[in-house]
Structure formats: structure tokens, C-alpha cells
Amino acid sequence: MQNEPRPTVELKGFRDGMRLIIDPEASMDQIESAIMERMTNLGDSLSGLTMNLDLGSRVLNDEELIHLKNLLNENYGLEVKQIIGDSEDDPGRTESHQIAGVPALHGNERVYDQFVPANEETRFIRHTLRSGQIERALEGNMVILGDVNPGAEVVAAGDVIVLGALRGVAHAGALGNTSSVIFALNLLPTQLRIGRFITRAPAEQRRRQRTEIARVLDDAIIVEEYD
Amino acid sequence: MGKVIVVTSGKGGVGKSTSTANLGTALAVLGKKVAVVDADVGLRNLDVIMGLESRVVYTSMDVLEGVCELEQALVKDRRTKDLYLLAASQKNNKNDIQPEQMKKLCLELKETHDYVLVDSPAGIEQGFQNAAAGADDALVVTTPEVAAVRDADRIIGLLQNMAINNLTLIINRLSPEMVKTGDMMEPTDIIDILSIDLIGVIPEDKEIVVSTNRGMPTTYNHKSDAGQAYKRIAQRLEGEDVPIPEFKSGGFAGWVGKLFKG
Ligand SMILES: Nc1ncnc2c1ncn2[C@@H]1O[C@H](COP(=O)(O)OP(=O)(O)O)[C@@H](O)[C@H]1O
Ligand SMILES: [Mg+2]
């Protein structure tokens, strides 16, 4: 099997939170445009969250780090909590544990239990999400035992299962996993997102309850009756 | 010991003050001792709707600041036995009152009244927090419009977070003609989304405007559909099993008891 080329930036959910992993070989310009590409379509799904910046063997100077930090914060509302790197030739960083106001973690302390199906977690919300409420599960899947009302939003790194009516916004595979699905006992969403794909609700008003599942097929979100 | 009920909605102009005035009056007519409290500080109008504006001397702010006793600030409505109004200050702003202070006022009022109805300002900020602070129960008012229902949903979430769990819904300004033509949300769809019990439906009624201008709640008007609907809500608050009539264009017809689960 042929190896896919390594993406310039990757978003992944880890046990210690979400990480933006950067290809150590890429230039600053490449990193910047890759971040913008990766983040389009995420909307404000991730706004208000903290994340770790994983630089691998890459060494960035203070100025570059501040630039990335501001880019993530101002455009996507993300706050960089920690910088993770395993560069040997940057002793200053690990000594001070502080770069551009962000604590740094040496590569040795990396926690490599990354989000894989074997250790994915599922979060249960046991009530209806009402307008203005947003719930996230960036370590795995989300199950709502209730409705997701218009104006409410549910975001998961994996699948979104609504055992009720989904009338608000749901985002599955929010960190990029386009094989994630959205399932609802009554699927009447304002908007569905899976990975980087978005679809709006059809204009027609349905009266009948329909149990449906949404997934990505050929670069588009399709909705099928579930039976 | 009485009960404190906050009348709230999120969205402005949906009929919170109208509902507070009419329900307060209707409950007093049923023989209950009632205090209606205007919590819309800075934009007070409950006194106007009730026709008591000219008799307001002190406000809740005066009570809180120790300028007068609570009893002195209560304006007695002379048309009905045991109906009192506590007006809001027009000079101050919402942030001058703290939730703890409102709570204390409500606690004191419910010692001596069967019902304390608190008219909440629009929004989800401090003014709403103050109005709900002392509430045991809530009446959530919405009109059959998408935006109003959305805000009501938001408010229900906030009330539940404040552990106010006995919530019932008033759908105001329902126009049977518009529901029929599909231009207005149907009560069943609204209840479906909000999933709280419906306690009453108030039809669109121009008598409301007339009565508001006269300072004479429609509850006193036996010919007003809205006034009668408020009377039925008062009876339901009192635990009576009064069905909710279905509003069809051209008047009332049929009964849909199923809408009222409580
Ligand atoms: N059922 C109704 N039919 C007709 N007009 C109404 C009805 N309910 C309220 N109104 C009118 O709507 C306006 C807003 O009502 P109000 O009770 O002041 O709302 P809020 O206190 O929620 O801001 C007022 O002019 C009032 O007369
Ligand atoms: Mg009002």
C-alpha cells in the first residue's frame, strides 16, 4: 500500500486535548495556508476551546510562534494551551518551559494515545439541548438522549447520535474524520457538517417523522432513511 | 405561604406585561391575594397597563434602599379586593438591583400573598436574572413565531439551570386564520420543540390594545376572547381542570384537552 503524503497540518483529538500537528519540514507560509484550508468549514465549531500545538522536531522562533498563536486565536477563537516539541537543539525552550507566553512540553513527555477507534470515548448528554446551548465531544462520539433544538449545536470528533429530534446544527468528524456519521430519530436539522463538508436543510417542510443517517459520499453529505 | 411565579419570554413585545396584568387580575377576581411585581427596571409599564400609574409613590428600589416599608410601596388596585402592584423604578437601571435583593423581596411578599407574579424584562441578562431570582415557578410566554419560540427555548434552558423546573407555556397572539394559511406556527409544533406543558392559548385580540390604553385589563371584559382565556389560565393555576379550547378561524370550536398534559 502506498503511503499518503503527510499533510502539512493535522487536527487530532488526544487524551490531553486537541492538537494541531505541524509537518516539521513545511515552511511558515505553507503552514499558514494549510491551517486556513483545514479550518475553513469548521465555522465557529471550535471557538472558545484550547488546543496544543505539536511542532515535532520543528523549531520556531518567538515571533513565528506568536504569529501562529494569534492566527489561531483571532480567526478561529482557539487558544493555544501548550507547545509540544521534541527538538534536541532548542534547550532554552525546555528550560524555561515558556514560549511566547505558552508553556512548552518536551517531546519526551508526549502522550501518544491518539484518537483511534480502540480508545474512542462516547459522551452522553441526558437532556434536550436548547437554543444557545452547545455541547462538544472532541475525544470521540456524542449521544444525545433528547432533542437538539433550533439554535443548539452538537459537535463531536466522531459520530453524533441523537435519540430524539435534531433541529439545530450537528457537526460530526469535527477534527476532520469524514467517515463519521450523524444519526437522528427525527432528522430536521438547520445544518449538518461532517468533517469539512456542510449541508443545509431542504426548504420543504416535512410533517412525518423520519429516522435518518447522514454520511459523506463522493465529497458530499448524503442523507438516507435508516431501517 | 404563597408562590412566586416569574412571567418571562426572552423576546420583547410578546405579551409578558399584558399576561402579568391580566393573570394577576384574574387570580384576584377568583379571591386570591395577589401581588404583581414589575421587574422591568428603567422601562416600567405594568402600572400603566393596570391603570395604576398615577397612584405609584414608591418603587421596589425605594424598599431596597430603606426609603419606605414594603407595605407602603404596594399600590392597591381598587377595582378588585386583594390585588397589589409593586412598581419598578424608572430612574435606576437593571444593574442597580442584585438577584439576592429581588429574592428577598419575593420571599417577603409570598409570606403575605397567595401569588406573587413577577413581570420580567426581555433578554437573558441581569434584568431577567433578577426577575427569576426569587421564583418558584415560571410562566413562559411566546407568540407563534419562529424567533419568539427560539428565545423561549433559550429562556427555558436558563430557568432549568436555575433549578426552576415547574415551567408552563402561554402561547399569545394566536391568529387562527394565519395558522390555517400556514403563516404561523401551530401550537402542537411549538409544544413539540419547547417540551413543556401548555397552560393556555391567548388569541390575537384588539381588545388588548384598547384595554391597555384604558388601563383596564381585558379580564374585566366578558366579551373579550383574550380576557376569557386569561381567566381560564388563572383557573388552571388554581388547579382546576379547564380544557383549552381549540382556536379555529371565526371563533372557538372543539376542544383539545390533549395539549394540556399537566
Ligand atoms: N393577545 C394579544 N392581542 C393583541 N395585541 C396584543 C396581545 N398581547 C399583547 N399585545 C400587544 O403587544 C404589545 C406588547 O405586549 P407587552 O405585554 O407589553 O409585551 P412584553 O411585556 O412581553 O414586552 C402591546 O402593545 C400589547 O397591547
Ligand atoms: Mg413588558
Side-chain angles (χ1 to χ4, degrees):
Chain A
M1 203 173 76
Q2 195 190 328
N3 267 348
E4 291 236 351
R6 180 176 178 176
T8 311
V9 300
E10 279 178 282
L11 256 187
K12 282 190 170 158
F14 282 73
R15 285 217 180 273
D16 61 343
M18 187 171 51
R19 277 189 200 182
L20 186 72
I21 304 166
I22 283 165
D23 175 7
E25 311 293 318
S27 73
M28 264 307 273
D29 279 351
Q30 284 173 321
I31 293 172
E32 204 173 316
S33 54
I35 289 177
M36 306 229 253
E37 197 185 306
R38 181 66 191 79
M39 297 289 188
T40 19
N41 286 355
L42 274 177
D44 52 8
S45 290
L46 305 180
S47 179
L49 295 182
T50 58
M51 65 168 353
N52 297 327
L53 200 53
D54 191 336
L55 302 175
S57 59
R58 178 62 179 263
V59 181
L60 294 180
N61 63 34
D62 266 21
E63 208 177 300
E64 291 169 321
L65 274 169
I66 291 171
H67 180 71
L68 278 188
K69 203 183 140 191
N70 290 345
L71 176 84
L72 289 165
N73 193 260
E74 280 155 25
N75 294 345
Y76 313 105
L78 281 163
E79 198 201 320
V80 179
K81 189 176 65 185
Q82 234 175 17
I83 290 164
I84 301 164
D86 52 17
S87 167
E88 290 302 320
D89 45 86
D90 194 19
R93 177 191 297 173
T94 36
E95 255 166 45
S96 69
H97 280 256
Q98 193 81 16
I99 305 165
V102 177
L105 196 68
H106 194 265
N108 297 340
E109 297 170 50
R110 269 167 186 264
V111 235
Y112 257 121
D113 60 340
Q114 158 191 342
F115 172 59
V116 286
N119 65 12
E120 70 186 320
E121 289 169 17
T122 297
R123 196 174 157 209
F124 285 83
I125 302 283
R126 293 179 166 83
H127 57 85
T128 287
L129 293 187
R130 296 186 179 272
S131 178
Q133 297 177 337
I134 170 163
E135 291 293 347
R136 300 180 173 104
L138 293 174
E139 306 75 37
N141 312 305
M142 177 82 98
V143 177
I144 309 280
L145 302 165
D147 299 337
V148 177
N149 278 356
E153 193 175 328
V154 47
V155 180
D159 301 334
V160 173
I161 315 284
V162 180
L163 298 175
L166 169 54
R167 297 189 178 90
V169 174
H171 193 170
L175 302 181
N177 185 358
T178 51
S179 59
S180 301
V181 300
I182 298 168
F183 170 95
L185 287 185
N186 195 8
L187 193 74
L188 306 156
T190 313
Q191 194 187 83
L192 294 178
R193 301 179 188 174
I194 298 177
R196 62 185 194 280
F197 301 105
I198 298 186
T199 182
R200 278 181 302 127
E204 51 127 354
Q205 287 281 317
R206 283 203 319 239
R207 302 291 325 167
R208 193 168 68 89
Q209 168 166 333
R210 211 150 44 176
T211 299
E212 288 173 317
I213 188 160
R215 62 187 174 95
V216 172
L217 182 72
D218 297 333
D219 282 359
I221 296 178
I222 60 156
V223 175
E224 295 165 307
E225 199 146 357
Y226 182 86
D227 49 15
Chain B
M1 181 76 105
K3 205 191 265 184
V4 179
I5 306 178
V6 62
V7 183
T8 186
S9 71
K11 193 169 184 293
V14 298
K16 292 178 291 295
S17 301
T18 304
S19 297
T20 308
N22 278 285
L23 287 174
T25 305
L27 284 164
V29 167
L30 287 180
K32 296 289 140 185
K33 188 169 180 190
V34 181
V36 293
V37 179
D38 192 345
D40 202 345
V41 176
L43 273 178
R44 79 173 203 207
N45 57 21
L46 193 58
D47 52 336
V48 180
I49 296 177
M50 297 189 70
L52 298 174
E53 186 183 14
S54 63
R55 301 193 25 229
V56 173
V57 179
Y58 297 112
T59 67
S60 50
M61 189 58 90
D62 295 320
V63 179
L64 292 174
E65 285 175 346
V67 174
C68 68
E69 294 298 316
L70 180 56
E71 264 85 324
Q72 290 175 278
L74 291 173
V75 180
K76 184 169 169 27
D77 189 321
R78 293 204 181 105
R79 293 161 298 197
T80 311
K81 195 176 163 286
D82 281 342
L83 176 60
Y84 300 86
L85 166 82
L86 180 59
S89 164
Q90 262 172 323
K91 299 182 286 275
N92 302 79
N93 93 32
K94 303 186 204 307
N95 302 332
D96 295 342
I97 294 186
Q98 295 302 310
E100 277 311 311
Q101 298 178 297
M102 264 310 274
K103 197 168 172 177
K104 217 176 131 246
L105 260 187
C106 289
L107 276 175
E108 214 175 318
L109 281 170
K110 80 172 172 184
E111 294 280 342
T112 45
H113 295 79
D114 298 313
Y115 287 93
V116 179
L117 300 184
V118 184
D119 181 19
S120 159
I124 56 173
E125 286 92 21
Q126 174 102 49
F128 157 74
Q129 304 285 344
N130 284 345
D136 302 303
D137 301 349
L139 284 167
V140 178
V141 184
T142 187
T143 53
E145 295 162 283
V146 172
V149 172
R150 182 80 62 101
D151 289 355
D153 193 42
R154 182 104 195 237
I155 282 290
I156 293 168
L158 296 175
L159 290 167
Q160 288 173 338
N161 287 344
M162 296 170 84
I164 301 172
N165 290 314
N166 189 11
L167 311 171
T168 45
L169 179 70
I170 295 176
I171 300 177
N172 187 24
R173 309 195 73 158
L174 189 80
S175 151
E177 289 81 10
M178 286 180 77
V179 169
K180 207 170 141 200
T181 53
D183 293 319
M184 200 174 249
M185 286 181 84
E186 277 186 47
T188 42
D189 291 339
I190 298 171
I191 297 159
D192 217 25
I193 289 176
L194 298 181
S195 45
I196 60 173
D197 289 342
L198 181 70
I199 194 164
V201 179
I202 314 295
E204 174 73 25
D205 184 354
K206 55 183 188 313
E207 284 298 324
I208 293 270
V209 182
V210 177
S211 74
T212 298
N213 289 337
R214 287 207 193 121
M216 176 70 87
T218 35
T219 313
Y220 292 121
N221 181 348
H222 296 286
K223 290 197 189 109
S224 158
D225 285 345
Q228 299 310 303
Y230 277 120
K231 271 193 184 165
R232 288 191 294 270
I233 294 181
Q235 290 171 310
R236 290 181 198 115
L237 283 172
E238 272 294 285
E240 285 178 46
D241 188 9
V242 186
I244 297 175
E246 190 174 2
F247 293 93
K248 291 251 170 70
S249 41
F252 304 87
W255 302 87
V256 276
K258 71 174 186 325
L259 289 184
F260 182 56
K261 289 175 270 171

